[in-house]
Amino acid sequence: KPLPRQLCLSSDRHMEGPQRRPHLSKLPRRFRDRPPRVFAALAAGFGLLAILALSTSSDGRSSLGTAAFCHGASSHRSSRSPSKRSSCRARALRRLSPRRAARADGVYPEPRDGVNWADLGFGLTTKDTIVAVATCSRGGEWGQYSLEPYGPLQLEPAATVLNYGQSIFEGMKAYRTRKGRIVLFRPQMNARRLAGGAERLMMPPVPEDFFLELVSALVRANADWVPPAGSGALYLRPLLFGSGAGLGVGPSSEYTLVVYAAPVGEYFKSAGGGGAHMRLESDHQRAATRGVGDVKYAGNYAPCFLPQSQARADGFSDIIYLDESGRWIEEAAASNFFCVGQDGVLRSPGLGTILPGVTRDSVLQLARRLVDEGDVGPGSLRGVEAGRVSAQDALGSVEAFVTGTGAGLTPVRRLVCGHREARFECPGPATQRLRDALTGLQLEDQEDALGWLWDPFTDGVDAKPL
């Protein structure tokens, strides 16, 4: 009979079926003639010796290198060059259940049964998911990752991320389209922004092809958590941080990339169809001039908690920051700002101290295409400007909205600055036109003429069964 699965050792993640269950006839006669219990004991002993040999590196720390155990690991090599790959370690993991092994043969797993997709908000809606993990030493290269059930991470108290905040993150979504596909929206931009932030904080940039391979595998592993078309999305949160231990002020000796996922609904769910209520904030600044406001740096967000909670206690959905002069709009705590003036021009603050949002860039491109095509009718625009937008400009507009991966394109109903207040049609015709164009692409209601959709089942660098 085939060997018990838990006694099978393998270092090849692509071995399937009989390859993972060697038959006794292929073993030397002295083993075939032994009683099954004796053989099981011998195999277990050899397995223990292998684990001990592989789990201790030259410096005494636990390391599984490039080996994977059938009963306890699912590690993945990148197709990239193997140079310096030994410096990048994947964690030992539990094997994924067959239910999670989303196939890459054109069959997209159906949404999970028994989930009330309509009630999803924006949050950690479940922990019954799979995460991707990779590590890389300082001066090394990213080349291997692994998948494991969602759970706690192990960090030393002296980890650089805990002491000095060396950490950035990303936000991206996978959608189930009207055509039944599962797609990511412009993940290349997330990869480039993550790499730029890593360079700014002196962390090893994650190569774009490795990033796309990893997030594609993660989407396939969590495919049954992608909501039905139009009922939300699977939100992916890549984290890159200094995980090495060190007391002195300086870059970490080791770095960890973690990507986890959760199905989500509307970001401003309480706003519903009524739109968001926003307050312009001048007593606090989100980021300093010549600082890291243009980086998705974790430290940019915790200072937002206090003014944000105060605004919500006063009945607002969120706040929109003004610069240090109190005159020019920057962005909301977690989204970019847009307004449509009485002259029909769409305006959004220019880059510099604000985050170069993926959704922001998408809306600007879609709006410019509408203008260039001479679009007429309700919601038509006469121009698009990305530059300085004053609080007075915003309060004098006829429409306003915010954009972000989490927020999507959310109309603003009410905007307050001190004693001044503006109320807008919600959504206004231009806002609705742009939202329809954006969601139409994401859900494949219209042709992806711009090539913004990435299919993890066909476009992935290593789109093989998990």
Side-chain angles (χ1 to χ4, degrees), residues 274-278 314-316 340 342 394-400 411-417 420-428:
H277 296 248
M278 311 294 281
D314 292 336
F316 293 94
V340 179
Q342 297 183 15
L395 291 168
S397 298
V398 295
E399 297 181 44
V412 173
R413 174 171 290 279
R414 178 170 168 244
L415 186 64
V416 175
C417 181
R420 294 176 295 172
E421 179 177 329
R423 290 182 176 269
F424 308 105
E425 182 180 358
C426 191

Side-chain angles (χ1 to χ4, degrees), residues 355-431:
L355 191 71
V358 175
T359 311
R360 170 188 178 275
D361 179 80
S362 303
V363 168
L364 287 173
Q365 289 199 46
L366 292 173
R368 288 178 178 128
R369 284 171 64 90
L370 291 174
V371 172
D372 293 342
E373 292 170 359
D375 186 53
V376 295
S380 60
L381 298 170
R382 297 182 181 176
V384 179
E385 295 179 1
R388 284 192 162 187
V389 179
S390 68
Q392 183 175 351
D393 291 336
L395 291 168
S397 298
V398 295
E399 297 181 44
F401 58 88
V402 293
T403 64
T405 299
L409 195 158
T410 301
V412 173
R413 174 171 290 279
R414 178 170 168 244
L415 186 64
V416 175
C417 181
H419 299 295
R420 294 176 295 172
E421 179 177 329
R423 290 182 176 269
F424 308 105
E425 182 180 358
C426 191
T431 302

